[in-house]
Amino acid sequence: MSISGKAYIAGAFEHPTRKALDKSVAQLHAECALGALRDAGLTKDDVDGYFCAGDAPGLGPINLADYMGLKLRHLDSTETGGSSYVLAVAHAAEAIAMGKCSVALITLAGRPKAEGMATGTKPRVYGDSPDVPFELPFAPVITNMYGMCAKRHMYEFGTTSEQLAWIKVAASHHAQHNPNAVLRDVVTVEDVVNSPIISDPLHRLDCCVISDGGGALIVVAPEIAKSLNRPLVKIKGAGESPKGQMGGRVDLTYTGAAVSGPIAFDEAKVTPADIKYASIYDSFTITVLMQLEDLGFCEKGEGGKFVADGNLISGVGKLPFNTDGGGLCNNHPANRGGMTKVIEAVRQLRGEAHPAVQVPDCDLALAHGTGGSLGTRHGSATLILERE
């Protein structure tokens, strides 16, 4: 079943906090929900579907629905890490198309900064998952997993640290206009490559920020969207896919976007060349480069050349990306930055991004999320949105 045109994003909200010492995770979820509902011109009593992921406390949607006083007939707590909230938009659209709900609320929140989490710098294992006995003795650290991908890309295709640095440079050019961004200083290629090595070849400025925060989206049925006094942002296509270790036949040169991207483009009946703006998950600079290749914005191995010389900077390059500063400079709440990728895509399509980074005539945007680790197993989710 195609979801193209079956649902619209009517509300979007990003929490302004970057360090929430005085708020609980549940409170952040609720404040984000209220912000998105106000943006859409709806109330909590209109909500009949609720979506969240592993950042939600307790039993996820059960506890938070009770906390927020929601009366629901559909709920979903699919967890795929950083791709969760891109995927949640598609799942909400599917639920609406099947008549399971008509107003879906999606919320994200986290406090890794306030709680002092060693995000990305401690072994990443997941409870009793089947890979733990084999990988735990080697203490896999997420920065090392991404460092391996970057090193392999350099070996296979001649990618350089200077090319990767251009991704951070582009993000910083955008973040300077975002008053809530963690890092607002514009950096140069030299600043990035001269910052300390974290996991060879990745430098500190190749890594995303650690922050608190959250966000929320409201996905609604077409008839509701058209009754609201808000710009119409249509869900035009979506794709999702995991990528694993493939029984030991590991290939570090591509991501799950190579599968989820074509699915989304096929459903939307558009091509990468049609996209005016792209929100790309940016836990590390190498994450962006590999996903751009796999989504079809350039050929495999050409990512380094594609991102160089400001090609991702709004008003300068061919493909403006992450105009809020992204995870590299703005925020990365709860290790699930896919939410903010959708929010900024909605801003661009509505013409509500900062004037300095607003893409002219932006009528088609892509949001993509990756969750897990490119160096081991991860989930990918791609969303194509259109201003109607």
Side-chain angles (χ1 to χ4, degrees):
M1 179 187 69
S2 173
I3 61 170
S4 185
K6 302 290 180 63
Y8 290 72
I9 297 178
F13 176 80
E14 180 183 359
H15 205 290
T17 189
R18 297 296 179 265
K19 191 170 185 180
L21 293 173
D22 61 340
K23 300 179 188 296
S24 68
V25 172
Q27 185 177 353
L28 288 171
H29 273 276
E31 291 179 3
C32 290
L34 183 60
L37 286 166
R38 285 175 173 167
D39 182 59
L42 297 167
T43 73
K44 72 178 183 65
D45 294 331
D46 296 307
V47 175
D48 59 354
Y50 177 56
F51 296 71
C52 61
D55 54 282
L59 294 175
I62 297 173
N63 287 87
L64 284 178
D66 186 39
Y67 179 76
M68 293 188 283
L70 303 177
K71 296 179 181 179
L72 306 172
R73 57 193 184 98
H74 187 77
L75 50 85
D76 188 326
S77 58
T78 302
E79 171 58 70
T80 60
S83 58
S84 298
Y85 287 100
V86 179
L87 182 147
V89 174
H91 286 196
E94 291 169 359
I96 289 169
M98 291 188 293
K100 298 294 184 181
C101 60
S102 57
V103 176
L105 166 66
I106 308 170
T107 66
L108 154 79
R111 300 176 67 250
K113 185 75 171 179
E115 295 171 8
M117 294 183 184
T119 307
T121 59
K122 63 180 180 179
R124 171 172 278 193
V125 293
Y126 295 98
D128 59 353
S129 60
D131 46 273
V132 167
F134 301 96
E135 297 179 8
L136 183 59
F138 300 98
V141 174
I142 193 166
T143 49
N144 294 349
M145 300 296 102
Y146 282 78
M148 285 197 310
C149 291
K151 201 70 170 178
R152 190 68 193 183
H153 207 278
M154 290 178 171
Y155 174 80
E156 292 283 349
F157 307 115
T159 308
T160 67
S161 290
E162 287 75 13
Q163 289 172 333
L164 288 177
W166 271 106
I167 298 170
K168 182 75 165 196
V169 171
S172 73
H173 273 268
H174 299 150
Q176 67 176 315
H177 304 294
N178 183 350
N180 297 319
V182 173
L183 302 178
R184 296 188 65 194
D185 292 337
V186 175
V187 300
T188 65
V189 169
E190 291 73 23
D191 291 332
V192 179
V193 298
N194 289 329
S195 63
I197 285 282
I198 300 299
S199 180
D200 189 25
L202 298 178
H203 301 78
R204 183 168 64 195
L205 291 181
D206 285 300
C207 307
C208 69
V209 300
I210 298 173
S211 73
D212 300 342
L217 295 161
I218 307 294
V219 182
V220 301
E223 62 273 16
I224 294 177
K226 293 171 183 178
S227 72
L228 301 171
N229 187 28
R230 302 298 291 134
L232 293 173
V233 176
K234 180 169 65 179
I235 298 168
K236 194 171 178 68
E240 60 191 64
S241 176
K243 183 196 171 194
Q245 301 285 60
M246 299 176 291
R249 294 182 293 275
V250 180
D251 185 344
L252 297 178
T253 64
Y254 75 95
T255 74
V259 177
S260 66
I263 295 171
F265 281 115
D266 182 65
E267 182 171 50
K269 299 296 186 290
V270 298
T271 70
D274 297 317
I275 300 298
K276 302 288 184 62
Y277 164 80
S279 280
I280 306 292
Y281 195 83
D282 55 344
S283 49
F284 299 90
T285 52
I286 186 62
T287 319
V288 176
L289 186 146
M290 292 178 66
Q291 291 170 124
L292 288 171
E293 292 177 342
D294 295 333
L295 290 167
F297 290 109
C298 60
E299 295 296 321
K300 175 55 66 178
E302 297 295 313
K305 296 176 183 177
F306 183 81
V307 302
D309 300 322
N311 198 39
L312 301 180
I313 300 175
S314 185
V316 175
K318 297 178 182 177
L319 184 67
F321 104 118
N322 296 9
T323 45
D324 61 340
L328 287 170
C329 294
N330 176 26
N331 74 336
H332 190 234
N335 300 328
R336 291 169 181 83
M339 169 66 80
T340 54
K341 300 298 168 281
V342 181
I343 291 171
E344 185 66 5
V346 170
R347 290 192 191 112
Q348 281 288 348
L349 291 169
R350 288 175 165 182
E352 295 173 353
H354 190 283
V357 298
Q358 176 65 51
V359 177
D361 302 317
C362 186
D363 58 356
L364 199 63
L366 175 145
H368 179 81
T370 291
S373 167
L374 296 192
T376 52
R377 58 198 61 79
H378 60 272
S380 286
T382 310
L383 195 65
I384 297 174
L385 305 173
E386 182 180 46
R387 183 188 70 226
E388 189 173 281

